């Protein structure tokens, strides 16, 4: 349950969290969720040579927007300022077999539950990310005394079929290995509130968090990227599976997606993207019925 902002304003001791912030819709929504629940957040982005590196720019832009808006009446902060750092791991791209990294195969299009989406798996990606946010969280927890720090990742149920490192079994085993390998590891907890959510319920939660924090929903979400095949302009495609899943969530929410979409003809309006996605969803539903 989200806490009352009056309590947040008057509570001098804020909870702390370290978040893996990709710049995508899920982790950006989780950032809002943490702020609305009284956390002071350290957000880490990772440059691993991904083709959709524009997501890191969006994350930087979002954090700047949140920190700029973080003042209420009399100049009092509404929520904890967000610390943000991008960690460069781009030397990995030449060594990884995945459609998502530079030099990899083409990112597949179509529905997000199709088997070809397995081409977008990046080997051990969440293990790499979780190890780094665990290290940072433990360092914060043991600096200047001891305090509890949470690590946060925006994994969700829509990822479970394709990405095994987004499942609860992986999360629990990974945390157990962390606890075995580190002193004071009991100070670090894990929060994955979206584990049983899908893209729509994540977006719905993000909308609620925007309302609580007094933020403009469109200004927040135009500063996110879900597309695995962005154009050189930085605009999102609407045909890759990740984009289809995102647009489906906006359709269910009943409001247009504020990001700019594009195809081979140039920038297009949201309605063009919406119509295409509805066709993909309809065709996929028919395929499932005929099986």
């Amino acid at each position: 349950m989200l806490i009352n902002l009056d309590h947040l304003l008057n509570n001098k001791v804020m909870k702390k969290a370290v978040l893996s912030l990709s710049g995508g819709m899920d982790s950006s929504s989780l950032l809002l969720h943490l702020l609305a629940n009284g956390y002071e957040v350290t957000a880490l982005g990772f440059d691993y040579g991904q083709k959709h590196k524009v997501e890191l720019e969006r994350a930087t832009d979002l954090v700047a927007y949140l920190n700029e808006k973080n003042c209420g009446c009399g100049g009092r902060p509404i929520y904890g300022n967000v610390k943000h750092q991008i960690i460069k791991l781009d030397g990995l791209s030449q060594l990884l077999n995945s459609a998502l990294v530079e030099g990899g195969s083409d990112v597949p299009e179509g529905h997000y539950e199709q088997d070809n989406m397995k081409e977008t798996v990046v080997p051990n990606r969440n293990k790499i990310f979780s190890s780094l946010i665990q290290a940072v969280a433990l360092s914060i927890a043991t600096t200047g005394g001891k305090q509890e720090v949470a690590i946060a990742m925006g994994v969700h149920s829509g990822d479970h079929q394709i990405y095994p490192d987004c499942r609860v079994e992986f999360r629990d085993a990974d945390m157990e290995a962390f606890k075995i390998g580190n002193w004071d590891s009991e100070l670090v907890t894990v929060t994955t509130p979206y584990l049983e959510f899908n893209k729509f319920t994540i977006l719905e939660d993000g909308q609620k968090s925007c309302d609580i924090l007094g933020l403009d929903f469109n200004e927040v979400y135009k500063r996110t990227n879900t597309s695995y095949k962005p154009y050189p302009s930085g605009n999102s495609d609407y045909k890759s599976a990740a984009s289809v899943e995102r647009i489906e969530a906006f359709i269910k929410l009943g409001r247009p997606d504020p990001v700019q979409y594009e195809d081979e003809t140039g920038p297009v309006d949201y309605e063009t993207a919406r119509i295409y996605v509805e066709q993909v969803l309809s065709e996929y539903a028919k395929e499932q019925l005929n099986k």
Side-chain angles (χ1 to χ4, degrees):
M1 181 180 293
L2 294 173
I3 66 174
N4 185 284
L5 265 186
D6 290 334
H7 171 73
L8 198 163
L9 286 166
N10 295 319
N11 184 9
K12 294 181 180 179
V13 180
M14 300 189 73
K15 297 176 287 185
K16 294 182 182 294
V18 180
L19 166 69
S20 176
L21 180 65
S22 69
M25 193 179 89
D26 306 332
S27 62
S28 297
S29 297
L30 181 52
L31 173 57
L32 299 175
H33 179 95
L34 292 169
L35 294 175
N37 279 278
Y39 282 90
E40 180 181 278
V41 181
T42 298
L44 302 181
F46 302 98
D47 179 352
Y48 57 94
Q50 61 267 51
K51 293 175 180 175
H52 52 296
K53 199 171 295 186
V54 66
E55 67 179 2
L56 298 177
E57 298 174 11
R58 298 289 171 80
T60 299
D61 194 17
L62 176 59
V63 170
Y65 171 78
L66 292 174
N67 287 339
E68 177 187 350
K69 293 296 180 181
N70 188 19
C71 65
C73 295
R76 290 189 303 163
I78 298 172
Y79 43 83
N81 267 6
V82 182
K83 299 177 183 177
H84 182 225
Q85 184 166 334
I86 295 174
I87 298 173
K88 293 187 69 65
L89 303 168
D90 50 331
L92 279 174
S93 63
Q94 301 173 28
L95 305 171
L96 296 176
N97 179 23
S98 171
L100 290 195
V101 299
E102 296 291 348
S105 57
D106 290 340
V107 174
E109 296 182 352
H111 195 274
Y112 47 86
E113 290 185 1
Q114 293 174 329
D115 280 345
N116 64 358
M117 274 299 290
K118 291 181 180 178
E119 296 173 25
T120 65
V121 171
V122 178
N124 221 28
R125 178 171 59 176
N126 275 352
K127 183 67 182 75
I128 296 168
F129 295 174
S130 66
S131 292
L132 292 168
I133 62 175
Q134 286 163 356
V136 172
L138 184 55
S139 297
I140 293 172
T142 55
T143 298
K146 294 185 177 181
Q147 59 185 317
E148 187 175 285
V149 179
I151 65 167
M153 300 181 79
V155 294
H156 64 88
S157 64
D159 288 339
H160 294 179
Q161 179 177 338
I162 302 298
Y163 305 108
D165 59 357
C166 289
R167 300 171 185 168
V168 65
E169 296 89 345
F170 168 81
R171 180 199 66 183
D172 292 348
D174 180 57
M175 280 301 293
E176 184 61 26
F178 165 73
K179 290 177 180 178
I180 292 171
N182 291 277
W183 303 119
D184 296 319
S185 58
E186 70 279 0
L187 295 172
V188 178
T189 60
V190 60
T191 178
T192 51
Y194 294 159
L195 198 63
E196 300 305 324
F197 281 31
N198 56 33
K199 268 284 197 291
F200 166 63
T201 47
I202 289 173
L203 187 59
E204 194 174 41
D205 184 69
Q207 181 175 243
K208 291 176 183 176
S209 295
C210 284
D211 290 341
I212 288 170
L213 297 170
L215 297 169
D216 185 307
F217 177 91
N218 287 336
E219 288 297 321
V220 167
Y221 282 93
K222 79 178 185 181
R223 291 173 167 84
T224 66
N225 172 75
T226 303
S227 173
Y228 284 160
K229 297 176 69 174
Y231 283 82
S233 62
N235 293 337
S236 296
D237 88 296
Y238 56 86
K239 298 180 181 180
S240 63
S243 293
V244 168
E245 188 179 19
R246 174 184 172 124
I247 294 168
E248 180 186 19
F250 275 90
I251 292 171
K252 289 181 177 178
L253 193 64
R255 62 187 305 165
D257 188 344
V259 303
Q260 177 63 60
Y261 284 100
E262 187 171 330
D263 60 21
E264 61 279 1
T265 68
V268 300
D269 58 22
Y270 170 72
E271 283 302 297
T272 299
R274 181 187 63 78
I275 291 169
Y276 174 85
V277 167
E278 287 180 339
Q279 291 174 342
V280 170
L281 296 174
S282 176
E283 291 170 5
Y284 182 77
K286 289 177 183 178
E287 290 175 6
Q288 297 306 299
L289 286 174
N290 292 331
K291 283 188 177 180

